[in-house]
Amino acid sequence: MLEQVSTGTIIFILIVMIIISAYFSASETGMMTLNRYRLRHLAKQGNRGALRVEKLLQRPARLISLVLVGNNLVNILASSLATILGMRLYGDIGVAIATGLLTFLILVFSEVMPKTIAALYPEKTAFLSSFLLIPLQKIMMPMLCFLSGTTHLLMRLFGIKESIHHIDQLSKEELRSIVNESHSQISRRHQNMLISVLDLEKVSVNDIMVPRSEIVGIDVNSDWKSIMRQLTHSPHGRILLYRQSLDDAIGMLRVREAYRLMTEKKEFNKENLLRAADEIYFIPEGTPLNIQLIKFQRNKEKVGIIVDEYGDIQGLVTVEDILEEIVGDFTTSMSPNLAEEVNLQSDGSVLIDGSASVRDLNKAFNWSLPIGSRTINGLLLEELGEIPPVNTELCIGSYQIAVMEVQENRIRQVRIKALS
């Protein structure tokens, strides 16, 4: 029958087969390299092309079977036509010529080029190819079901389990990489905020707390004038009330509530002050920030006292402290910011207050100092095992550190220089 077909017609059919093969190759690459999350977003917006592709990808095994069946059928037919054409033009040696030439044409025009284009423009490729793939899938459904069933049977015989549901999931590290690579879509500030949210579980309340030594409180056993002076000059919205020492804390006073009582009551005394104090909200040390933020919201609290396993007070943390980990320092914060604690030197070193946060320094300068201790002072004390004299020098990792000032059993200032 083919002997009656002209050579020109065979060449034309062969070219059509190569184009169809290119279509199936591009369709496979476009469908498989498509951004599933963007596809889902477009589908929710009602994009018809996205809806068609999403429907096809609900059964990826069936889609791959359709593409492979179509591609193989076309390639086999093209091979047969090329063999006939080669024999007609050059005899027996024409078979070898046709095989080599067809292999080259299929590799270039039906595989490499269409797949490269599809990888560069997966959305356009997938949306356009879905027009034909959906009706083709319906036409070839019996064959596809047979192939799918045979495949599943063989996989069971070899002990290979197939998951019933295909769910796209991203780990936190993968999500962090996506955010870091989204420079053109998300501003740097918003990127930092998203990364900070992902890192909340890696940071505990101990890392951001106001340490015990810096907690502002009022000793209710002091004379009334001293109490009123501390109350009226306090820069904080809440003040811890205690007897003699912080370990005997008795309540958390809202300064605004104290002012209200001053204006409403003719006689404002210690009894009224203690009655206005709220019950202290205690937080176990080591609580991750993501958990504590939820607990603050659930318990409708804004400030908590951090205690260790023995019930001793270690520090204080507020909702604002956690939010600053996400959005950066607030202008209303009374704590010194990092810019006030560091001083860049001309030789590349940095003068740093001993109270500066190790985590903040690592973020600001892209360092990798150990974060076992909260502050530079704590880091050096842990490393040296004693309070060092001035001019003590040591190396921690790739950082050269010199102690510049020591006061009141604390390291007040150090000089740090990155060696590499």
Side-chain angles (χ1 to χ4, degrees):
M1 180 178 178
L2 287 174
E3 293 178 357
Q4 300 176 356
V5 179
S6 66
T7 301
T9 302
I10 293 177
I11 293 175
F12 174 77
I13 296 174
L14 191 58
I15 292 174
V16 172
M17 293 298 103
I18 292 175
I19 293 173
I20 295 175
S21 178
Y23 162 76
F24 281 115
S25 296
S27 299
E28 178 186 9
T29 302
M31 292 286 181
M32 295 300 109
T33 59
L34 195 63
N35 187 320
R36 301 296 176 88
Y37 302 96
R38 176 170 170 78
L39 175 66
R40 197 168 299 161
H41 170 70
L42 293 174
K44 287 181 179 179
Q45 290 186 329
N47 185 290
R48 293 184 178 180
L51 290 171
R52 290 194 303 270
V53 173
E54 191 175 44
K55 182 178 179 181
L56 287 168
L57 289 174
Q58 288 177 355
R59 297 286 186 89
R62 186 174 294 176
L63 173 62
I64 292 173
S65 297
L66 171 63
V67 172
L68 291 178
V69 168
N71 213 349
N72 280 283
L73 286 175
V74 169
N75 288 341
I76 291 172
L77 179 58
S79 178
S80 301
L81 291 175
T83 301
I84 294 171
L85 185 62
M87 292 183 65
R88 181 178 294 184
L89 295 176
Y90 303 105
D92 292 339
I93 196 174
V95 176
I97 295 173
T99 301
L101 183 59
L102 182 63
T103 301
F104 172 78
L105 292 175
I106 287 178
L107 284 175
V108 173
F109 295 102
S110 297
E111 293 291 335
V112 177
M113 189 172 71
K115 287 187 175 182
T116 302
I117 295 173
L120 292 173
Y121 307 100
E123 277 187 26
K124 292 181 179 179
T125 304
F127 292 176
L128 288 173
S129 64
S130 63
F131 277 109
L132 289 178
L133 287 178
I134 288 180
L136 280 175
Q137 190 178 61
K138 293 179 180 179
I139 294 172
M140 300 178 65
M141 187 61 69
M143 182 185 296
L144 296 178
C145 290
F146 173 75
L147 290 174
S148 180
T150 304
T151 302
H152 291 168
L153 178 61
L154 292 174
M155 290 175 67
R156 287 185 181 181
L157 291 176
F158 286 105
I160 302 173
K161 295 182 179 180
E162 184 182 16
S163 59
I164 298 175
H165 299 288
H166 179 76
I167 303 176
D168 293 320
Q169 293 181 335
L170 281 177
S171 67
K172 291 180 180 178
E173 294 302 322
E174 291 170 336
L175 186 56
R176 184 180 286 103
S177 298
I178 291 175
V179 173
N180 285 328
E181 294 298 325
S182 302
H183 299 295
S184 60
Q185 304 294 328
I186 307 175
S187 68
R188 187 62 188 173
R189 181 176 179 80
H190 291 166
Q191 279 183 312
N192 291 336
M193 289 172 61
L194 291 171
I195 293 297
S196 296
V197 171
L198 294 174
D199 287 340
L200 282 183
E201 67 176 10
K202 296 182 179 180
V203 186
S204 72
V205 290
N206 300 64
D207 296 318
I208 66 169
M209 69 180 181
V210 177
R212 176 192 174 102
S213 60
E214 298 178 15
I215 293 178
V216 177
I218 294 178
D219 183 358
V220 295
N221 289 339
S222 301
D223 62 273
W224 183 242
K225 288 185 178 180
S226 175
I227 292 175
M228 288 299 295
R229 184 169 55 253
Q230 294 179 70
L231 187 61
T232 54
H233 290 84
S234 173
H236 303 284
R238 284 176 170 79
I239 301 177
L240 184 68
L241 301 182
Y242 63 90
R243 293 189 177 95
Q244 298 298 331
S245 72
L246 288 177
D247 290 323
D248 190 13
I250 57 177
M252 187 69 66
L253 178 67
R254 288 178 290 174
V255 176
R256 181 180 297 179
E257 180 66 14
Y259 288 160
R260 186 185 67 80
L261 291 175
M262 286 182 193
T263 58
E264 292 181 357
K265 293 183 178 294
K266 295 181 180 179
E267 185 180 348
F268 184 63
N269 52 34
K270 286 186 181 181
E271 183 180 348
N272 293 329
L273 187 70
L274 294 175
R275 194 176 299 164
D278 297 326
E279 184 178 349
I280 297 176
Y281 176 63
F282 291 104
I283 302 171
E285 65 175 350
T287 303
L289 294 190
N290 61 327
I291 294 176
Q292 188 54 51
L293 187 60
I294 294 173
K295 287 184 176 180
F296 271 140
Q297 183 182 34
R298 184 179 300 160
N299 296 315
K300 298 181 180 179
E301 298 285 349
K302 293 184 177 180
V303 60
I305 299 296
I306 301 169
V307 294
D308 62 15
E309 57 183 317
Y310 304 106
D312 295 332
I313 293 176
Q314 301 298 309
L316 177 147
V317 69
T318 67
V319 171
E320 182 182 276
D321 295 328
I322 299 179
L323 295 179
E324 284 183 349
E325 281 294 302
I326 300 174
V327 302
D329 293 336
F330 295 133
T331 56
T332 56
S333 176
M334 299 303 297
S335 303
N337 57 45
L338 188 62
E340 298 171 343
E341 297 176 318
V342 302
N343 188 5
L344 298 176
Q345 304 297 298
S346 58
D347 62 351
S349 62
V350 187
L351 284 177
I352 302 173
D353 288 352
S355 61
S357 167
V358 177
R359 290 184 62 254
D360 290 344
L361 291 171
N362 285 342
K363 281 185 177 181
F365 297 104
N366 198 24
W367 288 351
S368 56
L369 290 168
I371 56 174
S373 299
R374 178 177 175 270
T375 63
I376 289 294
N377 175 63
L379 174 64
L380 296 184
L381 292 181
E382 182 178 352
E383 187 73 19
L384 296 171
E386 60 180 0
I387 300 173
V390 176
N391 296 326
T392 299
E393 295 188 5
L394 71 156
C395 285
I396 298 180
S398 58
Y399 306 94
Q400 184 178 20
I401 304 176
V403 178
M404 307 302 294
E405 183 181 349
V406 178
Q407 289 182 0
E408 300 176 355
N409 297 327
R410 290 187 183 183
I411 300 172
R412 292 294 183 182
Q413 190 178 65
V414 300
R415 183 194 298 270
I416 301 181
K417 185 174 183 179
L419 301 177
S420 59

